[in-house]
């Protein structure tokens, strides 16, 4: 149990375009999901906390107008990288929690050319 | 959440036990000690967690010092599939699910290499 999926697993896009990443909790409901970003050889950095039915809470230094988060249901949160640039290339990981523990998705590798 | 200190890297031989240390001298009384690991190009995976007593599960054992200022993750027989970055994370048991306090704060972790 407690499986989190992400789609797509990898994506390549051109600079200036937008990319949507989906995070789903497959066998539990999650009122809160978290979005992390990980650059090569670095640790995970929290970007934002996604709350079902309300606005996301962004960490300092993360542009909310660039990284749009929608948490439309108890099993789905989406992260849209708008007007992507090469510096947005990274590994994006979501997590969700049915209780105290957090379960992570497999990550989405974004490459912006 | 309090800070943890881990060695940057460790090496182990396959089928031998591995002891991964973590120092957390500023741990508070309500902090749980969590261990996650991240295999290459994958999301983190929960390993084990504990508060005061030593804990065992199918993946590993967690030995917690009596003063709780340090802990050790024990892999009883390392396999090649255990090669990963292991993160020791403290999280207060009293977290607000509606805010960022519920998230996990990742340090640099320990990169474990397993030699055949």
């Amino acid at each position: 149990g407690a499986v989190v999926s992400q789609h797509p697993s990898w994506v390549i896009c051109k600079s200036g375009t937008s990319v949507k990443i989906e995070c789903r909790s497959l066998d539990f409901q999650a009122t809160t999901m978290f979005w992390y970003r990980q650059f090569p050889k670095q640790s995970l950095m929290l970007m934002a906390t996604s709350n079902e039915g309300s606005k996301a809470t962004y960490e300092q230094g993360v542009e909310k107008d660039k990284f749009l988060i929608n948490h439309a249901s108890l099993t789905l949160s989406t992260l849209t990288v708008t007007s992507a640039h090469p510096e947005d290339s990274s590994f994006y990981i979501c997590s969700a929690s049915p209780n105290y523990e957090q379960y992570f998705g497999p990550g989405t590798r974004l490459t912006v050319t | 959440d309090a800070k943890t200190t881990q060695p940057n890297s460790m090496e182990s031989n396959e089928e031998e036990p591995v002891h991964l240390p973590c120092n957390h001298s500023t741990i508070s009384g309500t902090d749980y000690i969590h261990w996650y690991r991240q295999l290459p190009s994958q999301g983190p995976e929960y390993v084990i967690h504990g508060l005061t007593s030593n804990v065992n599960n199918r993946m590993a054992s967690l030995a917690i010092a009596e003063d709780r200022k340090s802990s050790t993750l024990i892999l009883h027989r390392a396999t090649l599939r255990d090669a990963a970055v292991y993160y020791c994370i403290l999280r207060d048991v009293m977290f607000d699910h509606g805010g960022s306090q519920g998230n996990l704060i990742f340090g640099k972790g320990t990169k474990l290499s397993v030699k055949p």
Side-chain angles (χ1 to χ4, degrees):
Chain A
V3 177
V4 176
S5 70
Q6 284 185 240
H7 179 80
S9 55
W10 60 270
V11 57
I12 301 172
C13 71
K14 292 187 176 180
S15 186
T17 61
S18 296
V19 174
K20 180 186 284 188
I21 302 170
E22 292 185 350
C23 176
R24 293 183 185 271
S25 55
L26 299 185
D27 49 5
F28 64 95
Q29 294 183 333
T31 55
T32 303
M33 292 183 175
F34 303 95
W35 286 95
Y36 293 81
R37 178 168 54 181
Q38 185 175 34
F39 292 107
K41 299 188 185 302
Q42 295 188 23
S43 190
L44 283 78
M45 294 297 294
L46 179 70
M47 298 177 65
T49 302
S50 170
N51 301 297
E52 187 267 337
S54 64
K55 291 183 178 180
T57 302
Y58 291 82
E59 295 300 301
Q60 191 173 9
V62 178
E63 300 176 55
K64 62 180 181 180
D65 294 330
K66 180 172 181 61
F67 299 99
L68 302 179
I69 291 174
N70 184 278
H71 195 151
S73 75
L74 290 173
T75 60
L76 172 65
S77 176
T78 61
L79 168 68
T80 301
V81 183
T82 63
S83 187
H85 291 284
E87 55 266 31
D88 297 323
S89 298
S90 188
F91 193 47
Y92 291 86
I93 306 168
C94 72
S95 72
S97 177
N99 42 51
Y100 182 68
E101 291 310 318
Q102 279 199 34
Y103 298 90
F104 288 82
T108 297
R109 177 80 57 192
L110 170 63
T111 302
V112 184
T113 62
Chain B
D1 293 317
K3 185 177 178 180
T4 63
T5 304
Q6 299 177 253
N8 290 333
S9 62
M10 290 185 65
E11 279 191 352
S12 171
N13 294 317
E14 195 175 13
E15 298 190 1
E16 291 186 355
V18 182
H19 291 232
L20 297 166
C22 180
N23 288 320
H24 29 79
S25 58
T26 59
I27 190 171
S28 74
T30 52
D31 280 332
Y32 272 79
I33 303 160
H34 289 252
W35 284 83
Y36 283 75
R37 71 179 185 180
Q38 186 178 22
L39 279 64
S41 297
Q42 294 188 30
E45 174 187 27
Y46 167 80
V47 178
I48 201 167
H49 79 282
L51 184 61
T52 55
S53 304
N54 294 343
V55 184
N56 300 294
N57 66 20
R58 63 176 180 81
M59 290 182 69
S61 296
L62 177 60
I64 302 172
E66 197 168 332
D67 63 5
R68 301 212 323 126
K69 293 185 177 183
S70 65
S71 60
T72 302
L73 179 70
I74 303 167
L75 306 179
H76 296 285
R77 288 184 66 208
T79 69
L80 297 178
R81 293 176 59 185
D82 291 323
V85 178
Y86 287 78
Y87 297 98
C88 170
I89 303 169
L90 303 183
R91 191 169 68 158
D92 198 304
V93 66
M94 302 298 292
F95 67 92
D96 176 8
H97 223 330
S100 62
Q101 296 91 325
N103 76 83
L104 294 167
I105 300 174
F106 288 81
K108 295 185 177 180
T110 297
K111 183 175 182 178
L112 175 66
S113 303
V114 180
K115 296 183 290 185

